[in-house]
Amino acid sequence: MNSVGDYIMARFEAWCRLANDPSSYFVAAFLLIVLGCDVIRKGWRRSLSRRAIESVAATLAIFHINIVLVPGVWLLSDQVKQAYDLLGIPSIPGSVWTDLPTWLLSFLGILAADFANYWNHRLMHMKWLWPVHAIHHSDPVVNGLTTYRVHALENLVMLVSYTLLLSWIGLPRDAIGYGALIVLFHNIYVHIDVDWGHGPLRLLVASPRFHRWHHADVPAAYGKNLANVFPFFDWIFGTYRVPGPCNVPLGATGVPRNNVLKLTLWPLIEWLRLAARLLPTFQRQVVDDRRDVPAE
């Protein structure tokens, strides 16, 4: 009973932290400004179409489901951190960073985090982790709120990748905090429905056009534009693709669009399907191995 009570309290505390975090108010205000600009630009009939409202409603539902699940995600990520600490991997001493200005530390934190994000993002576009990330790509009406259409298991994958790839750097917490807030606002920005390409800066800072191609539901765009902030990572590793304005359908073929229940269960559904495909191959391998064993 105590474990159930502890889980409920952890969920309540997560709600309270979210509600009292000043950054939440800035994010909410930013989203309202984005919505207002979108209504002015498109008109309320297009901006607030039934299709867009259904998409936003599904995203908000997924966001609240994640809040319910967040204590479990934290618990699992803490287990990974404890296992990482047991490895005894040396880290850069904090004293190395003390004389550097906060703005530079924040930039270094964003750069390091985006490098980690590029590789965990690339991993999540591969077969066995794609069912986790597919929820983010299920949105057919990509907008600022699409930032929050993320499965709880994807949050876990990201936290684990940060532990494994970034713990050794030892950056100060305040620099990481400022950097995380900047990345959040930028993530909302690249999801808004505008065709801004950043011109000569297109390889330095991700634009809405760059990220819209990442959400494009055409084979040529699959697994492209994986960096969140710095497109030069995609250019370096061969996954950059921005042929021009993105006027193709968005979403992910075969993934439920706004069915919240199916999207929540989607990783389990897909993993069972993938396992079922592997089962005949495994059974044939077992039979072949038995045939190869010489009779006594």
Side-chain angles (χ1 to χ4, degrees), residues 186-208:
H186 179 265
N187 205 354
I188 295 171
Y189 162 71
V190 297
H191 283 95
I192 63 177
D193 183 13
V194 292
D195 184 39
W196 296 344
H198 292 182
L201 300 179
R202 61 187 177 277
L203 289 179
L204 294 180
V205 182
S207 66

Side-chain angles (χ1 to χ4, degrees), residues 210-289:
F210 167 85
H211 197 70
R212 212 156 188 82
W213 274 108
H214 176 69
H215 281 267
D217 190 16
V218 291
Y222 295 165
K224 304 296 184 182
N225 299 357
L226 299 166
N228 287 341
V229 181
F230 300 115
F232 56 75
F233 284 132
D234 285 282
W235 181 77
I236 291 170
F237 298 115
T239 51
Y240 181 86
R241 186 179 189 277
V242 184
C246 183
N247 298 316
V248 300
L250 307 179
T253 299
V255 180
R257 291 190 169 188
N258 294 318
N259 187 319
V260 175
L261 179 59
K262 279 189 176 181
L263 288 173
T264 302
L265 298 175
W266 192 248
L268 178 61
I269 293 170
E270 284 296 285
W271 286 334
L272 288 173
R273 184 181 64 81
L274 289 171
R277 283 186 176 182
L278 284 178
L279 186 58
T281 303
F282 176 74
Q283 289 174 332
R284 284 195 300 271
Q285 185 64 47
V286 170
V287 171
D288 291 342
D289 289 344

Side-chain angles (χ1 to χ4, degrees), residues 52 55-56 59 139 141-147 188 191-193 212:
S55 176
V56 167
T59 299
D139 198 343
V141 185
V142 175
N143 55 73
L145 274 174
T146 305
T147 303
I188 295 171
H191 283 95
I192 63 177
D193 183 13
R212 212 156 188 82

Side-chain angles (χ1 to χ4, degrees), residues 131-182:
V132 173
H133 186 56
I135 283 72
H136 182 63
H137 281 264
S138 66
D139 198 343
V141 185
V142 175
N143 55 73
L145 274 174
T146 305
T147 303
Y148 296 98
R149 187 184 280 225
V150 178
H151 199 281
L153 289 176
E154 178 168 339
N155 289 324
L156 179 61
V157 171
M158 294 174 70
L159 288 171
V160 170
S161 73
Y162 295 156
T163 298
L164 298 177
L165 297 176
L166 303 178
S167 295
W168 63 274
I169 297 177
L171 284 169
R173 288 187 177 274
D174 57 344
I176 294 173
Y178 292 134
L181 189 58
I182 293 170

Side-chain angles (χ1 to χ4, degrees), residues 9 24 38-39 51 62 90-92 95 104 117 171-172 190 192-193 198 220 223 240 255 261 275 277 282:
M9 287 303 300
S24 298
D38 196 60
V39 170
R51 187 165 172 258
I62 292 168
S91 62
I92 297 174
S95 58
L104 180 57
N117 280 331
L171 284 169
V190 297
I192 63 177
D193 183 13
H198 292 182
Y240 181 86
V255 180
L261 179 59
R277 283 186 176 182
F282 176 74

